[in-house]
Amino acid sequence: MNLLEGKTYVVMGVANQRSIAWGIARSLHSAGAKLIFTYATERMEKSVRDLAATLEGQESLVLPCDVTSDEDVASCFKAIKEAVGTIHGVAHCIAFANKEELKGEYLNTNREGFLLAQNISAYSLTAVAKEARTLMTEGGSIVTLTYLGGERAIKNYNVMGVAKASLEASVKYLASDLGKDGIRVNAISAGPIRTLSAKGVSDFNSILREIEERAPLRRATTTEEVGDTAVYLFSHLSRGVTGENIHVDSGYHVL
Ligand code: 0WD
């Protein structure tokens, strides 16, 4: 089913083949979409280019975009505009916090660490939406990734949980602003998945084990499951849905 045939999406936050962003990219590709990738630092460039090259039948544009820089975000979307004109959506799969602050008590978060997590993990969605809007002339959909730690105090998630709460509130305000342009904004709250970022969260293994043992579906979330939900959120099937946070976590959030 080529639900996204003729559509172009920007995928931000691929670090390697385990990245949730890469799961999303594969699902969007299978649904017939054309993809553009962005990477944060030169260190990531090769890995993103190599992965993008594995997508059959398309040569994807791959561009630098450090979301902590307004100039970077603006020049990235300017380059996208010059290359393709119109886009139909963005997958924002970006987060960062200092590793020392992803363990122990949240109370020990310092101002710098707090602002860093907010900057990269929450504000970046607003910065990206502002630029993307100008290219989304046919309307479309913006999807970001969050975690249950934004709704509940989850051990060790700490400053990232506070950033996710801010990200989830941003989804609602952006949905409210952009609805009149036919642009929908939603979040996917993914269950824990073993990625590079997840390695930063202290005792991640026990969080994973808890899902496998107690979640209604009794298994860990996969990047494919998140990717397929992203296809739904990017496609016309979800045309009445905006400002929403869909949990793709084997049902763990109902417990
Ligand atoms: O269990 C998990 N892995 C979950 C992740 C559960 C629920 C949600 N998420 C979220 C994360 O919080 C994040 O928002 O999913 C998103 C993607 O995370 P991921 O796939 O788990 O992690 P990873 O493969 O490491 O990708 C995150 C990427 C960065 O990778 P590195 O490893 O270099 O930090 O975010 C990007 C970068 O590619 N990133 C940036 N992109 C642009 N500018 C920046 C930046 N300044 N900083 C990080």
Side-chain angles (χ1 to χ4, degrees):
M1 209 175 16
N2 280 351
L3 277 171
L4 304 179
E5 194 74 58
K7 301 274 166 60
T8 303
Y9 298 92
V10 180
V11 178
M12 312 182 77
V14 174
N16 58 34
Q17 81 278 7
R18 288 178 173 234
S19 296
I20 301 177
W22 181 241
I24 291 177
R26 277 182 303 165
S27 292
L28 299 191
H29 178 67
S30 302
K34 186 173 164 191
L35 302 178
I36 294 167
F37 293 92
T38 72
Y39 58 89
T41 59
E42 271 176 36
R43 194 169 50 86
M44 292 291 154
E45 181 176 359
K46 186 174 182 318
S47 157
V48 180
R49 283 195 188 282
D50 289 351
L51 284 171
T54 65
L55 296 177
E56 265 172 46
Q58 70 167 288
E59 224 172 280
S60 310
L61 192 62
V62 180
L63 295 165
C65 186
D66 175 356
V67 294
T68 59
S69 155
D70 286 336
E71 295 76 54
D72 239 46
V73 178
S75 62
C76 172
F77 280 88
K78 186 164 173 270
I80 294 171
K81 187 172 187 174
E82 282 164 10
V84 299
T86 303
I87 61 167
H88 302 91
V90 180
H92 170 278
C93 315
I94 292 169
F96 188 79
N98 287 327
K99 207 173 167 191
E100 320 73 85
E101 293 182 333
L102 297 173
K103 61 182 173 202
E105 293 192 345
Y106 167 68
L107 205 60
N108 293 325
T109 306
N110 68 31
R111 192 181 301 271
E112 207 186 323
F114 183 94
L115 294 176
L116 177 72
Q118 288 284 337
N119 189 10
I120 299 182
S121 318
Y123 179 71
S124 63
L125 178 69
T126 301
V128 163
K130 205 186 293 180
E131 295 298 333
R133 173 197 214 169
T134 63
L135 278 72
M136 294 176 69
T137 49
E138 298 170 6
S141 182
I142 296 174
V143 174
T144 188
L145 292 173
T146 188
Y147 177 59
L148 193 60
E151 300 167 71
R152 298 186 200 164
I154 292 185
K155 196 166 170 250
N156 295 325
Y157 204 60
N158 300 354
V159 68
M160 187 58 91
V162 178
K164 290 301 192 193
S166 165
L167 178 74
E168 290 170 21
S170 304
V171 164
K172 295 173 192 164
Y173 280 93
L174 290 170
S176 166
D177 285 348
L178 296 174
K180 56 185 174 300
D181 297 332
I183 299 173
R184 298 182 291 108
V185 187
N186 293 289
I188 297 174
S189 186
I193 298 174
R194 208 185 294 280
T195 63
L196 210 57
S197 293
K199 275 196 186 143
V201 180
S202 188
D203 206 12
F204 183 76
N205 285 343
S206 59
I207 300 177
L208 254 187
R209 211 174 318 118
E210 161 98 358
I211 299 276
E212 286 163 358
E213 287 167 8
R214 292 191 56 229
L217 298 178
R218 300 286 197 284
R219 58 180 158 80
T221 303
T222 66
T223 58
E224 289 78 12
E225 290 168 349
V226 178
D228 289 351
T229 300
V231 170
Y232 158 73
L233 285 174
F234 282 126
S235 79
H236 70 279
L237 295 179
S238 61
R239 61 197 175 279
V241 179
T242 194
E244 188 57 272
N245 181 11
I246 299 184
H247 294 79
V248 181
D249 64 351
S250 296
Y252 184 75
H253 69 285
V254 304
L255 300 182

